């Protein structure tokens, strides 16, 4: 059963095919709001990336490593017991499939992007790599590819996140990375990102910043999206093989937005495929303790890009909150901001409590322990499935595994 989701205008339809434009904007969002010293590095990165996109040797090496090192393609798993759990009293049932990004090497989708960017570093002859991380999965992925390619690796991580993600901190250090704690602000992802940018400004000639989200200044949102788009391309092929058509609904959690945009990108021009992003509602969106940027935020500039963010009437950032370290961020990628305004994608939220319930539900029904980030997408099925026609094919991006979150859940 297909769902139709129209676009707001003919001009919007055309603009969907040019994302971003030559200035690095998605409609009014995106751009480069950075110190002058970073502009040459961003220009070089864009130039090198544009060449690599059509370079046979680069693409061959990337594809080979994604297959032989990362373990792609990841399976599309029919979650039969989860589907039955969501069966309605009138007999309606949706077919729920999980895109198993949690089965990638390092346990999440993050390595798709880290690997692609690390290979670009070789082309730019940059041996010093920095990155930010919240839940630690991007940090682990970056430390992993740096070990593989012999690159120096420095990871910035909020002290609060280091405490609740101690396993991933150990993994990064085991892989040879230096993990630098960030104590100021909320000591979470926002502050780790700010510190990584400061480092980059200081060491821009020798250093590449492997940004983990589809956010930040151009070309990062475009580049991260492209590296993560392997997720959506595989889903299209797998759904065609599995049930002879496209999925009706795609669901993904949204923090900075990389796993969601990687899933959505392949289907942007398919109006009959519904795109749903799920944000962190924390303790409730009418409290001050949430990270529902697209639900409750407004446009502004953060970390080099113009997009939706959580801010007060004076334009000061409101500290976000989520049980999930990977979603504890007050901003969002510019393309998600564009898709929201164009009504091409829809964005909802679930609370910490709902995510915790989903964490346990998927574990007990399917034997899959999801990341708390992924648990937000799983939780939204409780609200979504009762609204769907019988036989709707729903694909949820299982963006990461939950080993890293077990201690957090134990302490709840």
């Amino acid at each position: 059963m297909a769902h139709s989701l129209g676009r707001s205008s003919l001009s919007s339809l055309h603009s969907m095919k040019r994302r971003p434009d030559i200035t690095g904007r998605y409609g009014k969002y995106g751009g480069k709001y950075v110190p002058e010293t970073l502009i040459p590095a961003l220009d070089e990165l864009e130039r090198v990336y544009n060449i690599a996109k059509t370079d046979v040797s680069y693409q061959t090496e990337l594809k080979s490593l994604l297959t032989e090192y990362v373990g792609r393609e990841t399976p599309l798993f029919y979650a039969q017991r989860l589907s039955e759990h969501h069966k309605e009293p009138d007999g309606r049932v949706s077919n729920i499939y999980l895109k198993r990004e949690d089965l990638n090497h390092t346990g999440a989708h993050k390595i798709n992007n880290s690997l692609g960017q690390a290979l670009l570093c070789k082309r730019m002859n940059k041996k010093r790599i920095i990155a930010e991380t919240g839940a630690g999965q991007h940090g682990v992925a970056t430390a992993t590819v740096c070990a593989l390619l012999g690159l120096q690796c420095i990871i910035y991580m909020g002290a609060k996140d280091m405490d609740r993600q101690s396993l991933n901190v150990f993994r990064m250090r085991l892989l040879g990375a230096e993990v630098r704690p960030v104590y100021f602000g909320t000591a979470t992802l926002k502050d780790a990102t700010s510190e990584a940018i400061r480092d980059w400004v200081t060491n821009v000639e020798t250093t590449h910043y492997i940004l983990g989200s589809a956010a930040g200044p151009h070309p990062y949102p475009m580049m991260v999206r492209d590296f993560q788009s392997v997720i959506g391309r595989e889903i299209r092929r797998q759904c065609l093989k599995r049930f002879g058509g496209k999925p009706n609904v795609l669901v993904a959690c949204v923090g900075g937005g990389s796993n969601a945009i990687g899933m959505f990108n392949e289907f942007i021009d398919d109006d009959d495929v519904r795109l749903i992003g799920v944000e962190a509602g924390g303790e409730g969106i009418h409290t001050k303790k949430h990270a529902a940027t697209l639900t409750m935020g407004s446009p502004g500039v953060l970390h080099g890009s113009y997009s939706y963010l959580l801010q007060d009437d004076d334009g000061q950032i409101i500290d976000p909150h989520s049980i999930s370290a990977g979603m504890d961020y007050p901003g969002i990628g510019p393309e998600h901001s564009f898709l929201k305004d164009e009504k091409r994608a829809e964005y909802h939220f679930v609370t910490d409590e709902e995510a915790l319930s989903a964490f346990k539900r998927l574990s007990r029904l399917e034997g899959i322990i999801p990341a708390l980030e992924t648990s937000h997408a799983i939780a939204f099925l409780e609200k979504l499935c009762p609204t769907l026609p019988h036989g709707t094919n729903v694909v949820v991006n299982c963006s990461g595994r939950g080993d890293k979150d077990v201690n957090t859940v134990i302490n709840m």
Side-chain angles (χ1 to χ4, degrees), residues 19 49 66 72 99 101 109 112-113 221-237 258-268 335:
R19 309 179 336 272
Y49 176 60
L66 285 173
R72 304 207 70 93
K99 180 56 173 166
E101 291 298 292
H109 67 290
N112 302 324
N113 167 61
M222 172 186 70
M223 187 170 63
V224 175
R225 176 200 69 196
D226 291 350
F227 286 134
Q228 295 294 359
S229 290
V230 64
I231 300 170
R233 291 194 300 271
E234 288 180 4
I235 288 172
R236 184 184 289 276
R237 292 195 304 268
S258 65
N259 93 91
I261 203 65
M263 188 190 207
F264 295 171
N265 188 56
E266 174 69 17
F267 298 93
I268 293 289
E335 189 161 6

Side-chain angles (χ1 to χ4, degrees), residues 25 33 50 105 110 112 121 137 186 189 194 202 235 250 261 292 294-295 311 325 369 380 398 403:
R25 291 188 178 273
Y33 295 83
N50 284 334
H105 180 41
K110 291 294 188 179
N112 302 324
C121 293
Q137 288 303 120
T186 58
L189 180 58
S194 297
T202 304
I235 288 172
L250 300 177
I261 203 65
L294 288 167
T295 304
Q311 58 185 331
I369 303 175
F380 187 68
C398 194
D403 309 43

